[in-house]
Amino acid sequence: AAGVIQSPRHLIKEKRETATLKCYPIPRHDTVYWYQQGPGQDPQFLISFYEKMQSDKGSIPDRFSAQQFSDYHSELNMSSLELGDSALYFCASSLAGGRGLDTQYFGPGTRLTVL
Amino acid sequence: QKEVEQNSGPLSVPEGAIASLNCTYSDRVSQSFFWYRQYSGKSPELIMSIYSNGDKEDGRFTAQLNKASQYVSLLIRDSQPSDSATYLCALGGNTGFQKLVFGTGTRLLVSP
């Protein structure tokens, strides 16, 4: 079965640079979530989109922005990168509609290293 | 105080034994509960979802939910070394497209 696709899988950037992470949800899934997981920590919710509209926002820095496109893929744009942004970034997708349909499936993640 | 509490472990069990993982939560609004397994450096993998009080079984895994006591547990029968991973308890919402709130995870070690 098709899974969530994320690219790139690994990314190395310098401080103050910009990064763009991409997420392609499972076919027919209409909701995309972004999570950040620092070393030894649990995943922290950043932002989500349902039908191309922002549906919820978590602890996402103002330096970060995201959007969902007409084909449902999503991009997370990160500017003025800081050392503390080094983390695993996961995208998850689900099919909205209530119980049993909101199960989130995670992509393989993008490992961002800021030097 | 974190909304979802888990014992960080490690929980060590011998191969073939039952591993019992527990999770308590403080948000009474949550209606959906999930267990994810995460190997080091990999993404969370869904193990079980549970929405109603009681037990839900899937193969070697059984999830138990008690909303009155605000806890959810995961039992792994016939534990295998390949089950060694971090198990994350997560709370969803009561409608679609709601964020997951994770516990810090319990590290399980299954020794051959």
Side-chain angles (χ1 to χ4, degrees), chain B residues 1-111:
Chain B
Q1 183 180 0
K2 198 169 172 60
E3 288 184 58
V4 184
E5 298 282 349
Q6 292 182 258
N7 188 320
S8 62
L11 172 65
S12 296
V13 300
E15 183 175 357
I18 295 175
S20 178
L21 305 165
N22 300 309
C23 170
T24 59
Y25 61 92
S26 57
D27 182 6
R28 290 190 173 275
V29 175
S30 293
Q31 295 295 316
S32 53
F33 305 86
F34 305 89
W35 283 99
Y36 286 85
R37 176 174 64 193
Q38 187 175 31
Y39 296 107
S40 180
K42 303 297 184 183
S43 62
E45 174 192 6
L46 180 70
I47 298 295
M48 295 279 284
S49 61
I50 187 166
Y51 304 93
S52 304
N53 282 328
D55 296 357
K56 180 181 178 183
E57 185 175 324
D58 184 1
R60 296 187 296 113
F61 300 95
T62 299
Q64 299 172 320
L65 175 60
N66 184 321
K67 292 183 181 179
S69 300
Q70 295 178 255
Y71 85 81
V72 57
S73 64
L74 180 69
L75 297 177
I76 306 175
R77 290 180 297 281
D78 188 23
S79 296
Q80 301 297 309
S82 58
D83 294 327
S84 298
T86 296
Y87 288 80
L88 296 165
C89 173
L91 270 61
N94 53 6
T95 63
F97 56 84
Q98 292 203 342
K99 65 183 181 185
L100 293 176
V101 177
F102 287 90
T104 51
T106 297
R107 187 172 164 221
L108 173 65
L109 297 175
V110 181
S111 55

Side-chain angles (χ1 to χ4, degrees), chain A residues 2 11 16-17 20 29 38 56 60 63 78-80 90 92:
Chain A
L11 192 57
R16 292 180 289 278
E17 285 190 322
T20 297
H29 279 194
D56 198 0
I60 183 170
R63 302 177 286 108
M78 311 160 69
S79 63
S80 302
F90 294 110

Side-chain angles (χ1 to χ4, degrees), chain A residues 27-42:
Chain A
R28 291 182 294 281
H29 279 194
D30 51 17
T31 308
V32 168
Y33 309 79
W34 287 96
Y35 294 86
Q36 177 192 57
Q37 187 174 29
Q41 299 179 356
D42 54 284

Side-chain angles (χ1 to χ4, degrees), chain A residues 96-113:
Chain A
R99 181 173 297 189
L101 298 178
D102 61 342
T103 301
Q104 296 181 29
Y105 297 90
F106 284 73
T110 294
R111 180 176 295 279
L112 172 66
T113 302

